[in-house]
Amino acid sequence: MSILVDEDTRVVVQGITGGEGKFHTEQMIEYGTNIVAGTSPGKGGQEVAGVPVYDTVEEAVDEEDADASVVFVPPAFAADAIFEALDTDLDLVVAITEGIPTQDMAKVNKRLKEVDTRLQGPNCPGIITPGEAKLGILPGNIFSEGNVGLVSRSGTLTYQVVDSLTERGIGQTTAIGIGGDPIIGTSFIDALEEFEQDEETDVIAMCGEIGGEDEEEAAAYIAENMDTPVVGFIAGRTAPPGKRMGHAGAIVSGSGTGTAESKIDALNDAGVPVGDTPEEVADHVEDLL
Amino acid sequence: MLLTHPLGNLRHESQMRLHEYQAKDVFADAGIPTPPSALATTVDEVVEQAEEIGYPVAVKAQVHVGGRGKAGGIKLAEDATEAREAAEDILGMDLKGYTVDKVLVEGAVDFVNELYVGVTMDRGEGKPVAMVSTQGGVNIEEVAEENPDAIAREHIDPAFGMHPYQARKVVYDAGVPAEVARDVASILTTLYDLWEDTDASDAEINPLMITGDDEVIAADAVLNIDEDALFRHPDLAEMEDEAAGDDLEAKANEYGFDYVRLDGNVGIIGNGAGLVMTTLDLVDYYGGKPANFLDIGGGAKAERVANALDMVFSDENVDAVVFNIFGGITRGDEVAKGINEALEQFDEIPKEVVVRLAGTNAEEGREILNDELVTVEETLEGAVQRAVEYAEDAE
């Protein structure tokens, strides 16, 4: 079982004719993902890796009945591509692109509240349901089917934890990289909520990092709403306190949150064991299964 | 340019910081009142400019550090002798690691009140926020921590921009004196528009001075631009100060790495901010001290890998290096090629290098790696422990 994507998910790749788009389309197809269309303005009618290319997302959705998209469009045009996807009735849009201007994402964030589509990312590795489908750039071979859900702000850290789990014979339901940008579509809480409703997910591993307050908010959510046990990890315990330099971003919320200590304390208070190392995360998961 | 987040966030969140004199130009062009000022790089120039502007003047170091005043980087001068003294003190001084090579000479403002006015992105809300406080002129971050209610805040819909009523509301909420409320609201509106137009991450005036004649003047100016948006602002990109920071940071800039120098002796290179931070944490966990944070990013080719090694070798504090790659989009064989290329240039490898490759093409990478030049470890824990040992032995 899985959340958000499975073998029936019909995927359109936005930016399919670009280098990254083409390469990862091939990788996704090889993994078994049901890629039904690609888009690239002005390249409608072509084919990439046997997949029909359309000029617009709307056309791709109408013609191929797609219900999810994955965005490989370069940063300067990525927000526009996300807006385009949000104007169709896709269930899920996964934005891989790194380096989208923050003000663009604030506008996307506003639009997101007006539609039913879920956005994941940007600047994320994607989502994978082992053995069924992957949308994004995750290395499929390290994942295995099982009953642990994963959600992480960091791509490579996700791989590290998954590797430790798979090594011990512990498989995964779905792994979601939510991305580390200041403004993202799917939050920890959104992902936890989905996992809580998934009967096949028995334990959830949640990998956070310093900065922002998402982990603190997730901890409060877990304490109040979740029965599925969660194991935590926070990267950046040794990060030095930065140079304070008249930075308005620092005064928005006063202070006291955002540090590794604050996040670990919040998770512990919510009954979530936090591993000191990725191996310890796997230990905790093993104990809870 | 790389900016360390105040919370020590090492993840990609880069901004290009303008100097005060550059930000003031942008603010003045937009119609925000600023004092008369001029840039100077020599003592004689400072005196010349001060004479022209008229005393008293402030001589202000133009470097990217906070708390310039407290650190002796800002001095007031009542006459030519004092201006000369201030210039001699400040030009060439070391301000928190930065050498001052230019100063702003500025007409001093005789004020009765100091405000704080700022616009930034509230990442928690995913919306811009405008802020005003009557406790300006001091360390506003301390105010935010100790008395957050002293800062009035108003969230802005990014699709509509700031409505005039919102500017008025936040100004009234902050308790700005009625005599200047309209002018401050107008400056805030201008500041918001400018923040939006320049793709800024922060636009701040601290202090915004109120004079005895109820004039309102921006005595400082902060403008940090979202580096990801610089492609839309070639004029601003030109203002980037490549010389800022120490040599290693300048080198990191040139190579385009997310790099932070730390005070330990275990050099760390990895891909992806979360994994690199975890590697730092593990070095600490096993009793070592990280020398740096270096993220080569996604999909790095051999040359970039070689550049990363060059970076870390350039730090004389480094005694051993751990290379931690978990390939997704990054390929292990490309990384291995880069490591070999970098190390084969040396007759003698300057520091021990421990390599851990996992993920995409990791096996191919391990086969290619020249293990006479590096120590190959299978696990992350093993690699970190080995590097810590090497660093201890080398001390």
Side-chain angles (χ1 to χ4, degrees):
Chain A
M1 261 301 284
S2 61
I3 64 166
L4 299 172
V5 298
D6 59 26
E7 59 195 354
D8 297 325
T9 306
R10 297 176 64 81
V11 182
V12 48
V13 177
Q14 292 179 252
I16 195 168
T17 57
E20 297 284 333
K22 181 171 180 293
F23 176 75
H24 289 287
T25 296
E26 285 161 359
Q27 298 285 309
M28 288 188 282
I29 290 171
E30 198 181 309
Y31 194 74
T33 312
N34 190 13
I35 308 282
V36 297
T39 64
S40 187
K43 306 225 167 134
Q46 297 184 6
E47 258 191 19
V48 170
V51 174
V53 179
Y54 296 91
D55 287 319
T56 67
V57 177
E58 189 178 22
E59 241 182 308
V61 171
D62 286 349
E63 297 292 328
E64 307 294 342
D65 198 21
D67 48 28
S69 95
V70 49
V71 179
F72 284 102
V73 174
F77 316 103
D80 184 47
I82 297 171
F83 275 115
E84 185 184 1
L86 295 181
D87 272 350
T88 63
D89 53 3
L90 293 168
D91 298 327
L92 175 70
V93 176
V94 179
I96 306 300
T97 311
E98 176 178 0
I100 303 179
T102 306
Q103 292 197 15
D104 289 4
M105 281 311 301
K107 295 189 177 85
V108 168
N109 180 61
K110 146 95 175 168
R111 179 79 181 117
L112 205 52
K113 294 190 168 82
E114 304 162 347
V115 297
D116 285 332
T117 306
R118 171 178 292 296
L119 172 69
Q120 186 196 328
N123 189 15
C124 80
I127 177 168
I128 185 167
T129 290
E132 295 195 37
K134 77 159 176 168
L135 278 64
I137 60 176
L138 313 104
N141 61 322
I142 61 169
F143 293 86
S144 59
E145 293 168 49
N147 54 355
V148 175
L150 251 111
V151 54
S152 172
R153 272 166 77 180
S154 155
T156 46
L157 182 56
T158 312
Y159 310 162
Q160 180 67 44
V161 172
V162 164
D163 202 43
S164 299
L165 293 173
T166 299
E167 195 90 326
R168 298 167 189 228
I170 301 172
Q172 305 88 41
T173 45
T174 297
I176 307 179
I178 58 174
D181 277 4
I183 299 177
I184 52 174
T186 297
S187 66
F188 278 123
I189 293 176
D190 296 329
L192 290 169
E193 199 175 0
E194 297 277 355
F195 278 127
E196 175 74 7
Q197 284 161 20
D198 177 36
E199 286 179 7
E200 304 294 322
T201 299
D202 294 333
V203 177
I204 301 159
M206 173 183 142
C207 301
E209 59 187 37
I210 50 173
E213 292 166 17
D214 294 3
E215 291 82 355
E216 286 87 342
E217 284 165 15
Y221 178 83
I222 291 166
E224 277 183 32
N225 302 292
M226 292 194 56
D227 294 324
T228 314
V230 181
V231 174
F233 183 78
I234 301 294
R237 293 157 178 255
T238 51
K243 311 161 191 169
R244 286 184 169 263
M245 28 205 340
H247 181 339
I251 70 170
V252 172
S253 58
S255 187
T257 53
T259 62
E261 198 186 359
S262 139
K263 290 170 194 294
I264 292 168
D265 287 349
L267 287 166
N268 283 334
D269 288 347
V272 175
V274 178
D276 284 337
T277 69
E279 278 299 317
E280 270 188 37
V281 173
D283 290 341
H284 286 303
V285 169
E286 206 165 25
D287 290 345
L288 287 166
L289 278 172
Chain B
M1 175 172 303
L2 188 133
L3 174 74
T4 312
H5 187 277
L7 294 171
N9 189 358
L10 298 177
R11 180 179 269 280
H12 172 86
E13 198 165 306
S14 33
Q15 307 180 342
M16 186 191 109
R17 280 173 286 159
L18 268 57
H19 282 297
E20 177 193 0
Y21 74 91
Q22 297 167 321
K24 273 211 171 108
D25 277 352
V26 178
F27 284 19
D29 284 349
I32 295 173
T34 56
S37 66
L39 198 63
T41 54
T42 67
V43 174
D44 288 341
E45 259 178 35
V46 170
V47 179
E48 232 171 80
Q49 301 292 3
E51 298 285 336
E52 204 155 301
I53 290 166
Y55 296 102
V57 296
V59 180
K60 304 163 97 175
Q62 298 297 293
V63 285
H64 292 302
V65 299
R68 282 175 305 169
K70 272 187 196 161
I74 300 179
K75 289 201 159 85
L76 274 173
E78 298 281 352
D79 54 38
T81 314
E82 285 184 18
R84 183 166 294 278
E85 276 172 17
E88 280 167 354
D89 286 351
I90 296 174
L91 277 168
M93 83 181 285
D94 179 275
L95 211 60
K96 300 180 183 174
Y98 294 82
T99 307
V100 180
D101 59 9
K102 46 185 179 284
V103 293
L104 187 67
V105 186
E106 185 171 83
V109 179
D110 195 11
F111 63 94
V112 292
N113 244 322
E114 296 180 296
L115 307 177
Y116 166 86
V117 178
V119 178
T120 191
M121 186 67 78
D122 182 344
R123 59 182 289 171
E125 292 288 324
K127 283 180 186 169
V129 58
M131 298 178 287
V132 174
S133 175
T134 52
Q135 298 193 17
V138 290
N139 186 343
I140 193 72
E141 282 155 352
E142 276 172 24
V143 175
E145 243 171 83
E146 286 156 21
N147 186 15
D149 291 343
I151 301 169
R153 300 168 172 81
E154 178 78 7
H155 284 100
I156 311 298
D157 184 322
F160 291 120
M162 185 159 64
H163 299 293
Y165 84 88
Q166 291 181 295
R168 294 196 300 269
K169 179 167 182 282
V170 67
V171 164
Y172 292 136
D173 282 351
V176 171
E179 297 76 28
V180 293
R182 277 179 63 137
D183 286 346
V184 176
S186 153
I187 286 173
L188 178 58
T189 307
T190 307
L191 191 68
Y192 181 87
D193 291 345
L194 183 152
W195 176 87
E196 192 182 16
D197 290 347
T198 58
D199 269 298
S201 39
D202 312 299
E204 292 180 292
I205 305 171
N206 188 32
L208 180 65
M209 287 175 171
I210 303 175
T211 69
D213 307 331
D214 293 334
E215 271 187 89
V216 184
I217 300 172
D220 192 13
V222 171
L223 189 59
N224 299 331
I225 310 294
D226 177 359
E227 204 146 83
D228 287 337
L230 277 181
F231 67 89
R232 290 198 279 243
H233 308 284
D235 50 327
L236 293 172
E238 269 176 29
M239 293 184 185
E240 176 139 29
D241 185 359
E242 293 295 347
D246 66 18
D247 292 348
L248 280 173
E249 281 174 17
K251 202 170 197 170
N253 244 337
E254 210 172 288
Y255 285 146
F257 287 129
D258 277 346
Y259 172 87
V260 181
R261 190 178 184 175
L262 305 168
D263 56 3
N265 64 344
V266 181
I268 293 162
I269 303 170
N271 63 325
L275 186 65
V276 180
M277 280 195 275
T278 301
T279 313
L280 262 71
D281 293 349
L282 280 176
V283 165
D284 178 73
Y285 182 81
Y286 287 116
K289 288 191 84 180
N292 68 278
F293 167 100
L294 199 170
D295 178 7
I296 62 169
K301 298 284 185 239
E303 193 193 349
R304 193 165 169 78
V305 172
N307 289 346
L309 266 174
D310 179 47
M311 274 277 346
V312 178
F313 282 165
S314 306
D315 181 350
E316 51 190 32
N317 295 329
V318 169
D319 289 324
V321 181
V322 57
F323 221 112
N324 180 27
I325 300 294
F326 208 121
I329 202 163
T330 305
R331 287 169 36 182
D333 51 340
E334 274 292 330
V335 172
K337 230 164 65 188
I339 293 174
N340 286 347
E341 273 169 25
L343 296 182
E344 277 157 8
Q345 296 166 20
F346 295 99
D347 294 329
E348 197 182 336
I349 309 292
K351 349 248 172 177
E352 294 280 0
V353 179
V354 184
V355 181
R356 182 274 182 143
L357 294 178
T360 310
N361 290 7
E363 267 170 50
E364 291 88 332
R366 282 195 293 269
E367 273 165 31
I368 298 172
L369 267 181
N370 183 344
D371 52 19
E372 282 174 19
L373 304 179
V374 298
T375 306
V376 181
E377 287 283 344
E378 289 284 325
T379 66
L380 172 55
E381 285 78 8
V384 169
Q385 278 172 288
R386 183 60 73 94
V388 170
E389 279 165 28
Y390 281 146
E392 274 169 7
D393 292 347
E395 264 173 30

